[in-house]
Amino acid sequence: MALLDIQNLFVNVEEKQVLNGVNLSINPGETHVLMGPNGAGKSTLGNAIMGNPVYSITDGKIIFDGKDLTEEKTDVRAKAGLFLSFQNPLEVPGISVESFIRSALQQKTGEKVKLFQFQKELKKCMELLSMDESYAKRDLNVGFSGGERKKSEILQLLMLKPRLAILDETDSGLDVDAVRTVSKGIEEYRKTQNGGLLIITHSTKILESLKVDFAHILVKGKIVKTGDASLVKEINENGFDSYIN
């Protein structure tokens, strides 16, 4: 059974139709890449899967782990095991990185987090991402650089261990070293969890060190081609022009 099954999904944003019948199936352990030109609807798909109320589903279904989540709120989807990293992570003054992740874990599991074990795991994940321990006590993303914010998102991914992670433009604005570090975190998630990955990108930098199972091209709100990792290489060399036209 597919972990995520998107069936003929139509989505509007402020009365404008952005997705026009998207079909996508992701099995446990698979890495899928969603590419396309700017404005194709890539981020819209990620937000619709996660249940952002700004994105209105007008037709179709989102089935996750055999359950219909099409009408469910975002917190229900998160507890079910969905995770979305943001293209531009927001600042959250007044709550530290450590407190935010600990609270999210408690909300997800419904159980009190054992502090010693939690802090041990947090330190291990921060070391993997080359993050100074002091960041755990800082307000979430406040004063963080772009690279630090993206590392913070991957830290949440590693700690929350979702069934399916949607990474929206995670490599956007990162230098080569930061991309390498973030990729290491994503690969660690792949190794330790049999979850699915949907990587939304218009670049291919972050894919260089990851095993890609399927690649999809989204144009004008519809997936126009699906292939294996060789499709990523094709787009990298030739761009999207042939698919747009």
Side-chain angles (χ1 to χ4, degrees):
M1 181 178 68
L3 179 61
L4 176 70
D5 187 18
I6 298 173
Q7 303 172 3
N8 199 37
L9 195 68
F10 287 77
V11 175
N12 282 11
V13 180
E14 296 179 349
E15 305 303 319
K16 180 184 177 183
Q17 189 168 294
V18 179
L19 295 184
N20 305 298
V22 171
N23 292 282
L24 179 65
S25 183
I26 300 176
N27 293 317
E30 290 181 347
T31 295
H32 290 240
V33 175
L34 184 68
M35 301 177 294
N38 290 332
K42 302 185 299 295
S43 293
T44 294
L45 179 59
N47 278 282
I49 294 171
M50 202 65 220
N52 187 328
V54 173
Y55 299 80
S56 174
I57 296 173
T58 58
D59 199 3
K61 289 185 178 181
I62 298 172
I63 310 295
F64 182 69
D65 201 19
K67 299 175 183 175
D68 189 344
L69 297 184
T70 312
E71 303 295 333
E72 296 290 357
K73 293 183 178 179
T74 301
D75 63 325
V76 174
R77 302 181 194 215
K79 288 176 183 176
L82 282 169
F83 175 92
L84 172 65
S85 78
F86 294 100
Q87 188 172 343
N88 298 299
L90 298 174
E91 294 185 355
V92 185
I95 181 167
S96 69
V97 171
E98 179 179 342
S99 296
F100 179 82
I101 295 175
R102 191 168 75 241
S103 175
L105 268 173
Q106 288 181 174
Q107 289 291 323
K108 179 185 174 186
T109 63
E111 300 175 359
K112 190 173 181 180
V113 174
K114 295 179 180 178
L115 188 59
F116 176 78
Q117 185 62 38
F118 169 80
Q119 290 180 331
K120 182 180 176 182
E121 180 72 14
L122 185 68
K123 180 180 179 182
K124 176 184 171 185
C125 292
M126 292 184 78
E127 287 175 352
L128 178 74
L129 296 171
S130 303
M131 294 180 73
D132 190 280
E133 287 183 46
S134 63
Y135 278 87
K137 304 298 182 184
R138 290 179 59 178
D139 286 1
L140 183 65
N141 295 329
V142 176
F144 285 23
S145 68
E148 289 163 349
R149 291 186 183 207
K150 297 301 176 71
K151 286 183 182 181
S152 173
E153 293 275 285
I154 301 302
L155 178 63
Q156 295 168 43
L157 168 69
L158 292 174
M159 291 297 294
L160 294 173
K161 300 177 176 64
R163 301 283 313 284
L164 176 75
I166 305 165
L167 308 181
D168 187 5
E169 304 285 4
T170 301
D171 54 351
S172 176
L174 299 186
D175 61 29
V176 174
D177 291 333
V179 168
R180 191 175 294 119
T181 301
V182 166
S183 295
K184 188 191 297 184
I186 297 169
E187 185 59 34
E188 180 67 16
Y189 166 76
R190 272 202 56 146
K191 286 193 302 184
T192 56
Q193 303 294 315
N194 191 37
L197 264 174
L198 176 59
I199 300 175
I200 299 171
T201 184
H202 65 261
S203 169
T204 57
K205 288 189 297 180
I206 202 168
L207 307 176
E208 291 173 1
S209 58
L210 295 173
K211 178 182 176 291
V212 174
D213 297 299
F214 296 96
H216 314 274
I217 298 174
L218 188 74
V219 175
K220 296 178 182 177
K222 202 170 184 69
I223 292 176
V224 296
K225 185 167 184 179
T226 292
D228 57 18
S230 65
L231 186 56
V232 175
K233 184 179 179 181
E234 178 197 319
I235 293 301
N236 206 27
E237 293 175 351
N238 303 319
F240 299 109
D241 285 351
S242 63
Y243 296 100
I244 294 172
N245 297 328

